[in-house]
Amino acid sequence: MTHDANASIETLRTLALVGASGSGKTSLAEALLHASGAIGAMGSVERGSTVSDHDPMEVKAQHSLQASVLHLGHAGCRIHLIDTPGLLDFIGHSLPALEAVETAAIVVNAATGIEPMTRRMMEQAAERGLDRIIVVNKIDAEGVDLPALLGDIQASFGKACLPLSLPDAGGTRVVDCFYNREGHSDFGAVADAHRALVEQVVEVDGAFVERYLNEGDVDASELHAPLEQALREGHLVPVCFVSARSGAGVRELLDVMVKLLANPTEGNPPDFLNGADEAAKPLHARPDATAHVLAHVFKISIDPYVGKLGFVRVHQGTIAPGAQLYVGEGRKPFKVGHLYLQQGKDHVELASAGPGAICAIGKVDELQFDAVLHDAAEDEHIRLKPMAYPVPVHGIAITPRRRGDEQRLWEVVGKLVAEDPCLRLERADGTHETIVRGLGELHLRVLLERLRDIHRFEVDTHPPRIAYRETITQNAAAQYRHKKQSGGAGQFGEVHLRIEPLPRGTGFEFVDQVKGGTIPGQFMPAVEKGVREALAEGVIAGYPVQDVRVIVHDGKHHAVDSKEIAFVTAGKKAFQIAIREARPVVLEPIARIQITAPEHATGAITGDLSSRRGMVSGTDSGSLGTLTVSGQAPIAELADYQSRLNAMTAGQGSYALALSHYEVVPPTVQQDLMSGYKVRDED
């Protein structure tokens, strides 16, 4: 069975359900599917039977871990719906949904009100120029104060947030107040809400303002164009009330989607860029089915059984099976095999997909997250304006449980990382560990569970080693003779050297000052090799040595017994003796840290940073009462920083790290590291 996604573009609607965890987005999606007839019976999150949360781990966790793509039909319209996770750790699956839709529906739990994720998604949706609608869910929960909540919404997000519908009869039903001029609600007379809405909408159009002033009212059915303009400009953010559990307001919300929300020709066009870096120029995709193709991959799913699926929003042109498409700057096109319309884990084949369609393309290895698909080679430099994702800084080191699986580790973990822009896989230069980084402990725990349960790959984990270094603080000299005789030819080499500290960050210098051929020139590379071996192994705590100059000035050789191996050993041992006399110290990496958090948490953050041997270098005011604190702190003190920051900011804080420089560790830390190294030496 195949479907044609090329229904009239005016009959398409695209929405992302976003907001905090527990606001009931998945239950609302289920209620909308049921009310529209897309499913015969409603599933539940508790029973693990919803269309959205189909992944076994989501069923077990009882909340969404990734975005789910759905569709339904109502009153002659096709509605593409994306249900997104509400936990901050999985925001890498929520933010991309905003790039596939005209409207962001921010779902608010009536019982818990405005939460950090509510604010975050409101800001991000506004930043992307999306129409926004606030959906207050769970209006029939015990003890909720809906008028107070509406007041909070307006205080937080502005007077543009006006009710489009109002609860009635204790939240057991909902009344429209855009088309209805009269009637009653739990908030009082519908007429007041209707008047406020109409006044807000007509403000964007001078002709309607004049009519309104002269006639006292304008028929709502005439206000479609100014309403769309008000939504595009953020001059109106409608508020709707529903209960996904009881169904109150769900059908009314479907009517709002069909009658009032933007189709792909009415929303703000997405921000494409054409060209590289600073030379890139803005480009607006045209929702024209006959134009050349521009489509964006907003989600990648790699299933061990189904293979790779790329979820695509078509912005321009038409995609059909058999079409040849390029991926970004890729020179070789791929052939579209199958196009799918997704319903959670299920899909039906599509005959074609035009502007506004959200579909999936299967089994194409070249597809990558955030890629732009096009059918004209000259469009290779077109990309979507980058989304600002939180930087993953919470890391764990992973090793395969089975020896020899190192390459497979990179392949399997790489697939999981490819699905989430807030995961990183890296090889640590200083410690040679494989490290995966995410947004928090839960984020990484889910990745490890997926690795084990879905990909059947077992790993061992430990906190990443800190990339400490060793250096010296004064000059020293040493000599070492390596002599070995065991029948036949022996080994002989003697090296005299001096070492000097270099400025921090300089690295290593090797200087040959030997005169008179006491060490023949052909053996100097062997001496340097020995010194470099000692540098790499460390001397006092087992960490690489840096910022040191080694001057080899004398030595001895034997005409018969001198060999490279003898001078490698002599150079290494001489350096190890010298460094112990040069007051060696351990250096630790210091990070630049930028913390963004609500202003009220500034005192707690700066105090906490000081207690972690950090220092604050400055603060900058941001938008909506946020502040950015800049400073420095030892990386060793920041291992659990996200959880501490969450506690100080009620989950509203984020931070970014970058290596700044190395500094000498406190004596107590050095003692601990040295004693730990001696224990390792004895093993």
Side-chain angles (χ1 to χ4, degrees):
M1 173 184 169
T2 61
H3 281 241
D4 186 353
N6 269 342
S8 161
I9 195 166
E10 287 78 16
T11 65
L12 290 178
R13 306 287 182 271
T14 59
L15 287 94
L17 299 178
V18 298
S21 182
S23 58
K25 298 181 295 298
T26 297
S27 299
L28 178 59
E30 197 75 5
L32 290 165
L33 289 171
H34 181 245
S36 69
I39 56 175
M42 274 182 65
S44 81
V45 172
E46 293 74 24
R47 292 196 302 275
S49 53
T50 64
V51 177
S52 287
D53 289 357
H54 52 81
D55 181 276
M57 291 184 62
E58 292 178 315
V59 171
K60 180 177 157 191
Q62 295 199 356
H63 55 69
S64 302
L65 302 174
Q66 52 194 359
S68 191
V69 177
L70 315 165
H71 68 271
L72 55 94
H74 180 69
C77 284
R78 168 173 288 151
I79 299 167
H80 292 285
L81 207 57
I82 306 176
D83 177 26
T84 67
L87 291 167
L88 187 60
D89 280 28
F90 304 104
I91 198 168
H93 289 281
S94 302
L95 290 177
L98 299 179
E99 307 202 299
V101 298
E102 267 69 54
T103 303
I106 296 96
V107 184
V108 176
N109 181 343
T112 53
I114 296 165
E115 298 176 74
M117 194 68 162
T118 320
R119 297 179 190 278
R120 186 82 171 257
M121 298 313 284
M122 279 290 284
E123 287 171 28
Q124 293 283 355
E127 173 89 8
R128 295 311 274 191
L130 297 182
D131 293 4
R132 289 167 293 160
I133 176 171
I134 294 172
V135 180
V136 177
N137 191 15
K138 306 188 181 183
I139 59 171
D140 52 352
E142 202 171 322
V144 297
D145 185 343
L146 297 177
L149 175 57
L150 181 61
D152 288 345
I153 288 169
Q154 291 176 335
S156 298
F157 306 122
K159 296 294 184 188
C161 300
L162 292 173
L164 206 56
S165 65
L166 287 170
D168 190 26
T172 58
R173 63 189 187 93
V174 161
V175 293
D176 160 74
C177 46
F178 183 61
Y179 294 105
N180 271 348
R181 301 184 189 194
E182 304 297 334
H184 188 271
S185 76
D186 292 345
F187 282 46
V190 166
D192 297 336
H194 172 80
R195 189 179 309 110
L197 265 175
V198 172
E199 286 177 358
Q200 190 76 3
V201 169
V202 298
E203 277 180 5
V204 301
D205 188 315
F208 277 109
V209 170
E210 200 168 322
R211 269 187 61 189
Y212 183 76
L213 291 174
N214 290 335
E215 300 172 19
D217 199 2
V218 176
D219 194 295
S221 59
E222 298 180 55
L223 291 177
H224 186 82
L227 174 75
E228 291 307 327
Q229 185 182 340
L231 291 171
R232 278 195 305 275
E233 295 174 359
H235 190 70
L236 174 65
V237 179
V239 180
C240 295
F241 292 86
V242 302
S243 167
R245 187 184 60 82
S246 73
V250 171
R251 194 162 288 281
E252 288 81 356
L253 182 58
L254 283 171
D255 289 340
V256 165
M257 292 177 185
V258 168
K259 293 178 181 174
L260 303 179
L261 297 190
N263 67 51
T265 69
E266 293 171 325
N268 288 319
D271 292 321
F272 280 98
L273 298 170
N274 190 5
D277 305 323
E278 284 75 35
K281 291 186 166 53
L283 179 146
H284 284 157
R286 290 178 291 119
D288 177 353
T290 63
H292 55 95
V293 171
L294 283 179
H296 178 248
V297 181
F298 68 92
K299 172 179 160 73
I300 289 286
S301 172
I302 304 173
D303 187 282
Y305 308 109
V306 179
K308 182 185 265 192
L309 272 182
F311 291 79
V312 171
R313 161 66 194 256
V314 183
H315 290 283
Q316 180 176 294
T318 301
I319 300 175
Q324 298 275 339
L325 294 179
Y326 295 90
V327 181
E329 296 185 353
R331 301 285 170 166
K332 188 180 171 190
F334 72 90
K335 185 178 179 181
V336 178
H338 296 277
L339 271 184
Y340 300 113
L341 190 62
Q342 288 295 127
Q343 192 73 295
K345 72 175 185 297
D346 300 322
H347 51 252
V348 293
E349 292 219 22
L350 281 174
S352 64
I358 293 176
C359 58
I361 298 175
K363 297 184 178 176
V364 179
D365 288 339
E366 296 89 340
L367 288 182
Q368 296 171 346
F369 173 78
D370 204 32
V372 168
L373 306 183
H374 55 94
D375 59 0
E378 64 269 21
D379 288 343
E380 62 179 358
H381 293 301
I382 295 177
R383 66 191 193 280
L384 208 56
K385 179 183 170 185
M387 173 78 81
Y389 291 101
V391 179
V393 287
H394 191 96
I396 50 169
I398 55 174
T399 53
R401 192 160 289 174
R402 205 170 63 184
R403 289 187 63 169
D405 269 356
E406 286 76 11
Q407 184 59 39
R408 187 160 174 256
L409 172 74
W410 275 81
E411 289 170 7
V412 178
V413 178
K415 287 178 180 178
L416 294 170
V417 168
E419 296 179 347
D420 187 337
C422 295
L423 286 171
R424 296 271 187 284
L425 182 63
E426 60 191 45
R427 182 84 173 158
D429 290 336
T431 62
H432 306 297
E433 293 175 309
T434 299
I435 296 174
V436 61
R437 298 194 183 277
L439 299 181
E441 190 183 331
L442 177 63
H443 198 194
L444 294 180
R445 193 165 74 237
V446 166
L447 175 130
L448 293 174
E449 287 178 19
R450 277 195 193 286
L451 208 53
R452 185 189 66 227
D453 297 348
I454 297 172
H455 294 274
R456 305 285 181 229
F457 194 87
E458 297 281 352
V459 296
D460 293 317
T461 67
H462 59 271
R465 287 180 67 202
I466 305 299
Y468 292 108
R469 296 286 185 268
E470 298 177 15
T471 193
I472 58 174
T473 57
Q474 65 183 32
N475 296 355
Q479 62 186 64
Y480 186 83
R481 174 182 291 180
H482 176 70
K483 186 176 181 182
K484 196 173 179 184
Q485 197 77 38
S486 57
Q491 294 180 12
F492 181 89
E494 186 174 315
V495 172
H496 298 215
L497 54 76
R498 297 191 304 273
I499 60 175
E500 303 170 354
L502 289 174
R504 194 84 70 238
T506 307
F508 166 64
E509 286 181 18
F510 183 83
V511 182
D512 175 5
Q513 287 187 357
V514 172
K515 300 207 171 38
T518 54
I519 300 177
Q522 73 261 32
F523 292 128
M524 285 308 290
V527 176
E528 182 174 352
K529 181 182 177 185
V531 170
R532 286 188 178 274
E533 281 183 8
L535 282 169
E537 292 173 10
V539 177
I540 58 169
Y543 296 101
V545 180
Q546 66 179 38
D547 306 334
V548 61
R549 177 184 290 126
V550 176
I551 303 161
V552 180
H553 58 88
D554 203 357
K556 290 181 182 171
H557 74 285
H558 187 278
V560 176
D561 291 347
S562 283
K563 298 180 177 65
E564 279 192 14
I565 183 65
F567 280 100
V568 170
T569 304
K572 183 174 183 177
K573 296 287 189 184
F575 179 78
Q576 288 172 332
I577 293 166
I579 200 171
R580 287 191 170 96
E581 301 299 316
R583 288 185 55 216
V585 292
V586 176
L587 302 173
E588 66 178 339
I590 305 297
R592 287 192 304 275
I593 186 167
Q594 271 202 329
I595 306 156
T596 303
E599 282 181 2
H600 65 75
T602 308
I605 288 167
T606 54
D608 181 73
L609 211 54
S610 299
S611 73
R612 292 169 177 266
R613 300 191 284 122
M615 61 176 205
V616 174
S617 57
T619 56
D620 287 304
S621 293
S623 61
L624 291 174
T626 61
L627 200 73
T628 299
V629 177
S630 302
Q632 293 181 348
I635 286 177
E637 298 283 346
L638 299 172
D640 62 342
Y641 193 64
Q642 186 63 60
S643 56
R644 286 184 67 93
L645 186 60
N646 287 345
M648 290 185 286
T649 64
Q652 296 181 63
S654 62
Y655 71 105
L657 292 181
L659 179 65
S660 173
H661 63 285
Y662 276 83
E663 279 182 12
V664 178
V665 300
T668 52
V669 176
Q670 175 152 325
Q671 198 58 47
D672 288 344
L673 293 170
M674 287 172 64
S675 61
Y677 182 56
K678 285 170 190 165
V679 169
R680 290 201 294 274
D681 275 353
E682 288 162 9
D683 285 346

